[in-house]
Structures are given as C-alpha cells and as structure tokens.
Amino acid sequence: ASRRERGDRAGIAKGLDTISLVHQARGNYSAALAAVSESLELRREFALVHPIAESLNNIAVIYEAQGDYAQAARSLREALALNTDKVGSASLNLEIQTHLGAVLLRQGRPTQAIQLLTAAVAAPGATAFAFQLADARYTLGRALVAGRRLAEARTVFDQALALRDSQHDREGRALLL
C-alpha cells in the first residue's frame, strides 16, 4: 500500500476510535466495541504497534465498563506484550500496566496488582511521565490498601500526590513565562 493509503487508513482508524468513544459515552457498548474493533483491524493491516496497543487498551476500557474484567485483562495483556516486545512507548506501557492493575483489583486480585504496579513504577524511564506515574502510584496505593498493607499504601499515596503537585507547579510556571 502506498504511503498516502496508509495515512488515509490511519486517519480512518483514528476516526473510528472517536466514534467508539461517543458510543461508549452514550452507553452503547456494542457499537463502541464494533468501531474500535474495526480500528484495530485497520491498524493490524499495517502492523502499527503503538496504535494497535492503544486500540487494545480502548477495547479493554469497554469490556471493563461492561463488567467483563477477564476480557479486559486479556486485551490489556495482549497490548502490553505487543508494546513490550517491540520498541514500544514507555508512557503507553505505564498506562496499560496501570489499567491492568486496576482491572486486577476489580477482580479481587490485589497481590497480582501489587506485583505488576510495583514493577511498573520502578521501570526505567517511568519518572519521565509524571501524570502516568502518579496514576500508577495511586492505583498501587489502592492495591496495597486492598492487600491490607496500609503503612506502605500511605507512603505510595503521598508519592502520587507529590508527583501531581510538582507537575501542576511546572505547568503553572510554564504558563507564566
């Protein structure tokens, strides 16, 4: 396929993702899933790793909203494996790991969530993504509470808040300059 055709299909896939979000916001999960699944197939045609992982993450959001945590976890594990096996985005990996940790918590599996999220927040380069790292730490704190490790949870929650505050301070200073 030509470069233009690939660009056109990438645009169509992005549009389908947007349509999926609209359907999801309206509670029409079957239409949302159909749109994002079509987007995923377009992206698979061109083996676009990062966008495929994003589509799988979006599919997991839909399954999670429907209470199908097992299917959400499968989609997230596929996204993570795909994005990790290739030259993936560290930011997207952290987002997917955080999402998977939250799904594991909803499944009543705090020990697995703690293991996953502890590795995620310690991953090389994670500190470069303050908002995602703060979310990961917050979700880790929730997992620690569920696992009855309250002292550790308090420390992790404090770290998450400090990251959020420092990011907001940096953005505020940038606006003033």
Side-chain angles (χ1 to χ4, degrees):
S2 71
R3 182 178 215 158
R4 181 176 180 190
E5 184 181 345
R6 284 193 305 270
D8 289 348
R9 289 196 179 184
I12 291 168
K14 193 127 184 96
L16 287 165
D17 285 344
T18 302
I19 290 168
S20 175
L21 290 171
V22 170
H23 285 302
Q24 185 180 346
R26 292 181 175 168
N28 188 350
Y29 298 116
S30 61
L33 190 56
V36 77
S37 295
E38 188 175 343
S39 170
L40 175 61
E41 290 312 309
L42 284 171
R43 289 174 167 158
R44 284 186 197 249
E45 284 180 31
F46 297 105
L48 303 171
V49 174
H50 186 88
I52 290 170
E54 286 178 336
S55 288
L56 289 164
N57 190 39
N58 293 340
I59 287 170
V61 169
I62 296 166
Y63 282 126
E64 184 179 10
Q66 294 176 309
D68 189 347
Y69 304 125
Q71 188 59 45
R74 277 191 289 281
S75 292
L76 290 166
R77 284 190 179 101
E78 183 182 349
L80 191 58
L82 179 70
N83 208 46
T84 302
D85 289 346
K86 307 291 183 200
V87 181
S89 160
S91 171
L92 182 59
N93 278 346
L94 188 55
E95 182 181 333
I96 293 168
Q97 288 170 313
T98 301
H99 190 182
L100 180 55
V103 168
L104 290 169
L105 272 176
R106 288 183 184 269
Q107 290 179 309
R109 297 160 61 191
T111 302
Q112 288 180 321
I114 291 167
Q115 291 170 345
L116 173 75
L117 294 163
T118 299
V121 300
T127 56
F129 309 104
F131 278 123
Q132 291 94 333
L133 184 57
D135 287 343
R137 286 193 182 282
Y138 174 78
T139 305
L140 175 57
R142 288 179 39 227
L144 290 165
V145 167
R148 310 225 187 281
R149 294 166 57 178
L150 302 180
E152 291 172 83
R154 181 179 176 88
T155 301
V156 171
F157 281 132
D158 288 344
Q159 292 168 342
L161 287 172
L163 279 168
R164 285 282 182 166
D165 290 345
S166 69
Q167 185 64 27
H168 287 296
D169 288 347
R170 278 194 290 276
E171 289 175 358
R173 280 193 295 270
L175 288 173
L176 294 173
L177 299 177

